[in-house]
């Protein structure tokens, strides 16, 4: 059962689809303090676990750390981070007493989950206008399902979006894209999409294509499609402030950009230089921005990724002026070591600063609202602009769209990717841990940058990461400008990559059906073992294996120089090792096993009495023989 409580007059975040009548606040089951902030507190039993918060650092069980809901352009996903790109304000308490809790509030929220006191949860929302939802249920799964019904069905992308995808910040000219295509095809490596990062644009202007690099873009898109490869361009939130650039001119004329306290356009710097930030919280602006995607869909483009929409702010005009003044002051005196650090902090503090997030405003139904009070829905509403347009123009399931920043509710129209991770072994595990957490919050189409975004990837890291990515709906290899090339054909044993990528295509019919069912039935595609084996103390603590659908369990190898790992089987299962066209099976009893998995193998564990379909390997989803299935 879900009970809703309303405090003040909340802004409509569009997170929820069902209408519930708010109940009197004096019946709220947890300790509640309302002042300028809203504080909710409750005790945890020793054996309780806390799940949720979607895209966040650390474990599947969130207990023992302090988190913040604040969409952040955070490129270092280290354990000390309190927030990443998404704000997903839903938790489930699993233990003797089970309940779920959703804070529908677009401003900042702090979640002290047994950090200050191990037995206590303290949630502090920076405002007093919000909706609270308390969910009772018989199990964690049941609570999640009720919540998912409340927030509505998850986005389903086109079928081809389940193919393998290659991305790289730095592919610029047509020849770069042809080289990727040819190297994949030549080496018998499957591929469905190649991503276009900011380099394809003219001076980083949204909805433009650099004519020098792409003399006939339409023909280029068609030529790639003829090889069963789709191009997926990036769109950034900020619109370059430049007279004569039609998107800016129109937005400026109509007053569609966020304003400063005096009513002038808020000027901040991102990739294009000074930009206008479209006021996505305004419906007219959303319709206008959404319709801009038509420039590219008209040229045959079928998918997009929305970036920089937390929004990321490299600097603001005023922030930079202030910092420069401070630096001048420091410079004018004799510099001691503390002045040196003040100087360094001044420079670093210019980017994504709280001062800037407090210095611009939105127009929500005629009300002037400060950005910091609605920060967490900005990116979600940018992506809503695109997904609403796609649905209206092309119908459901026709276009691929996913976002970096997100808020619950955006899951109905789009997917997410997990942003700038590193080529670190620990980030394979972080990728795995985020999957059930974001699924709980409705985001099913998701994935991390396979191989790692920042720093240099190695062959073994990429192979192991792909062996997890084989199962994630979005399976995309992406890296940052200037890092070591990490396309599958760049390494020593290309045939090993061919073996692993073949497994993805063999599994697509199973993964696609599972995905669809999870969307339609409000289920999680990936679950902690604790959700499925509540009475099993060992299963409750497993943080490096996941249940997949109703049939399987996955347990990837995520350490270097290891050809085996411990796997806990909560019941008897069949270990299946897939590699290229090969399938090896071994029956294993419930309990702990030391299982060996080679670099070119993908392991999966099938439950008793269950079967999964396998297709023959294919080089693209278009060539996949969906009716030639065999069953394990
Ligand atoms: O400031 O477009 O997360 O995937 O390659 C970096 C360049 C901007 C951040 C995205 C990343 C993308 C990069 N972008």
């Amino acid at each position: 059962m879900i009970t809703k409580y309303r405090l003040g007059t909340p802004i409509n975040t569009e997170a929820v689809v069902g209408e519930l009548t708010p109940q009197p606040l004096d019946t709220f089951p947890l300790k509640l303090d309302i002042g300028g902030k809203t504080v909710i507190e409750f005790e945890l039993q020793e054996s309780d676990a806390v799940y949720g918060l979607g895209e966040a650092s650390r474990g599947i069980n969130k207990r023992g750390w302090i988190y913040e809901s604040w969409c952040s352009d955070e490129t270092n996903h280290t354990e000390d981070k309190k927030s990443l790109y998404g704000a997903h304000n839903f938790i489930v308490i699993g233990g003797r007493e089970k309940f779920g809790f959703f804070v529908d509030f677009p401003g900042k929220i702090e979640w002290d989950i047994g950090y200050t006191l191990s037995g206590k949860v303290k949630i502090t929302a920076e405002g007093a206008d919000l909706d609270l939802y308390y969910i009772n249920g018989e199990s964690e799964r049941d609570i999640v399902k009720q919540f998912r019904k409340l927030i509505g069905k998850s986005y389903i992308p086109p079928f081809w979006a389940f193919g393998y995808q290659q991305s790289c910040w730095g592919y610029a000219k047509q020849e770069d894209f042809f080289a990727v295509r040819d190297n994949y095809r030549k080496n018998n490596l499957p591929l469905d999409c190649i991503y276009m990062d900011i380099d394809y644009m003219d001076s980083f202007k949204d909805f433009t294509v650099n004519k020098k690099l792409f003399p006939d873009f339409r023909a280029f898109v068609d030529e790639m499609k003829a090889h069963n490869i789709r191009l997926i361009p990036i769109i950034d939130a900020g619109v370059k402030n430049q007279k004569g650039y039609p998107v800016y001119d129109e937005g400026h004329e109509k007053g569609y950009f966020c304003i400063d306290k005096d009513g002038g356009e808020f000027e901040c710097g991102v990739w294009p230089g000074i930009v206008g930030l479209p006021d996505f919280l305004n419906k007219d602006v959303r319709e206008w921005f959404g319709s801009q995607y038509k420039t590219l869909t008209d040229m045959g483009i079928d998918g997009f990724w929305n970036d920089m929409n937390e929004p990321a702010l490299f600097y603001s005009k005023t922030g930079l002026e202030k910092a420069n003044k401070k630096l001048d002051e420091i410079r004018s005196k004799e510099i001691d070591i503390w002045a040196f650090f003040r100087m360094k902090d001044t420079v670093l503090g210019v980017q994504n600063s709280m001062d800037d997030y407090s210095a611009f405003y939105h127009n929500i139904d005629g009300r002037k609202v400060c950005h910091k009070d609605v920060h967490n829905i900005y990116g979600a509403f940018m992506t809503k602009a695109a997904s609403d347009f796609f649905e209206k123009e092309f119908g459901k399931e026709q276009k691929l769209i996913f976002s970096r920043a997100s808020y619950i509710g955006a899951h109905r129209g789009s997917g997410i990717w997990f942003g700038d991770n590193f080529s670190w072994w620990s980030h394979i595990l972080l990728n795995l841990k985020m999957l059930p957490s974001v699924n709980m919050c409705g985001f099913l189409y998701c994935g991390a940058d396979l191989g790692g975004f920042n720093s240099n990837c190695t062959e073994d890291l990429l192979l192991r990461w792909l062996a997890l990515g084989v199962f994630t709906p979005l399976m995309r290899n992406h890296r940052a400008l200037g890092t070591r090339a990490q396309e599958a054909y760049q390494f020593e044993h290309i045939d090993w990559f061919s073996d692993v990528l073949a497994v993805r295509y063999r599994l697509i019919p199973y993964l696609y059906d599972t995905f669809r069912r999870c969307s339609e039935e409000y289920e999680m595609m990936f679950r902690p073992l604790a959700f499925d084996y509540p009475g099993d103390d060992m299963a409750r603590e497993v943080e490096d294996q996941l249940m997949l659908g109703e049939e399987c369990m996955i347990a990837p190898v995520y350490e270097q120089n290891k050809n085996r790992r411990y796997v806990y089987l909560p019941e008897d299962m069949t270990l299946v090792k897939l590699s290229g066209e090969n399938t090896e099976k071994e029956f294993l009893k419930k309990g702990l096993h030391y299982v060996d998995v080679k670099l070119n193998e993908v392991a999966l564990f099938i439950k008793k009495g269950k079967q999964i379909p396998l297709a023959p390997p294919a080089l693209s989803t278009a060539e996949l023989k969906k009716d030639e299935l065999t069953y394990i």
Side-chain angles (χ1 to χ4, degrees), residues 331-595:
R331 257 199 303 264
S332 66
K333 296 187 196 107
E334 202 176 311
I335 294 200
D336 63 10
I337 197 65
W338 304 113
F340 166 77
F341 283 114
R342 267 207 310 284
M343 203 158 130
K344 195 177 131 208
D345 291 346
T346 302
V347 174
L348 293 177
V350 170
Q351 198 170 344
N352 298 323
S353 94
M354 216 35 154
D355 284 353
D356 285 340
Y357 290 121
S358 311
F360 67 94
Y361 297 82
H362 299 272
N363 170 0
I364 306 178
D365 305 322
R367 252 172 71 211
K368 188 172 170 184
V369 180
C370 182
H371 175 78
K372 78 166 192 330
D373 298 325
V374 288
H375 174 78
N376 287 339
I377 53 175
Y378 184 80
F381 277 50
M382 173 198 181
T383 299
K384 186 176 158 54
S387 59
D388 283 355
F389 172 72
F390 298 151
E391 255 194 69
K392 196 183 86 206
E393 192 79 5
F394 308 103
K396 279 183 183 278
E397 299 181 34
Q398 300 305 307
K399 297 287 167 191
L400 170 63
I401 173 74
F402 59 88
S403 179
R404 196 170 71 173
S406 62
Y407 185 84
I408 290 172
H411 70 284
R412 294 193 298 275
S414 64
I416 51 173
W417 96 98
F418 302 155
D420 305 346
N421 53 16
F422 273 74
S423 298
W424 291 345
W425 290 87
S426 61
H427 279 182
I428 301 182
L429 195 52
L430 181 62
N431 180 173
L432 178 141
K433 289 176 191 207
M434 267 194 239
L435 292 168
S437 310
V438 300
N439 276 190
M440 288 172 67
C441 300
F443 293 95
L444 294 186
Y445 191 78
C446 61
D449 289 351
L450 303 172
F453 177 75
N454 293 298
S455 81
N456 296 327
C457 185
T458 56
E459 177 175 83
D460 50 352
L461 176 74
L462 182 56
L463 283 164
R464 290 305 191 195
W465 210 328
L466 290 172
L468 167 62
V470 150
F471 299 104
T472 64
L474 168 64
M475 186 189 188
R476 184 181 76 146
N477 173 338
H478 180 49
R479 70 173 174 94
L481 191 68
T483 57
R484 178 180 180 183
Q486 66 187 41
E487 294 84 6
Y489 52 81
Q490 301 283 4
F491 298 97
E492 222 177 308
H493 304 93
I494 299 176
D495 52 327
W496 293 357
F497 287 92
S498 167
D499 289 343
V500 171
L501 295 178
V503 175
R504 168 64 167 206
Y505 285 76
R506 293 174 72 193
L507 284 169
I508 284 178
Y510 172 64
L511 294 172
Y512 184 74
D513 279 359
T514 304
F515 182 95
R516 269 204 100 82
R517 187 181 48 73
C518 289
S519 169
E520 262 142 33
E521 295 173 7
Y522 307 99
E523 286 287 353
M524 296 163 70
M525 191 163 166
F526 298 99
R527 293 177 306 283
L529 270 57
F531 281 28
D532 287 32
Y533 304 93
D536 183 332
D537 284 345
M538 189 110 168
R540 268 217 337 258
E541 292 183 1
V542 172
E543 290 264 349
D544 59 358
Q545 304 171 202
L546 295 174
M547 302 311 295
L548 162 61
E550 297 306 320
E551 294 79 13
C552 319
M553 184 178 80
I554 59 169
V557 176
Y558 54 88
E559 284 177 297
Q560 192 156 29
N561 302 317
K562 277 212 165 176
N563 288 304
R564 38 187 70 78
R565 59 159 286 174
Y566 279 106
V567 180
Y568 176 65
L569 268 58
E571 58 175 299
D572 299 352
M573 291 183 183
T574 303
L575 163 61
V576 181
K577 288 185 210 162
L578 301 167
S579 178
E581 293 187 353
N582 299 331
T583 309
E584 248 178 64
K585 283 180 276 184
E586 188 185 344
F587 179 75
L588 297 175
K589 284 271 181 214
K590 173 184 156 101
L592 200 58
H593 293 267
Y594 205 46
V595 169

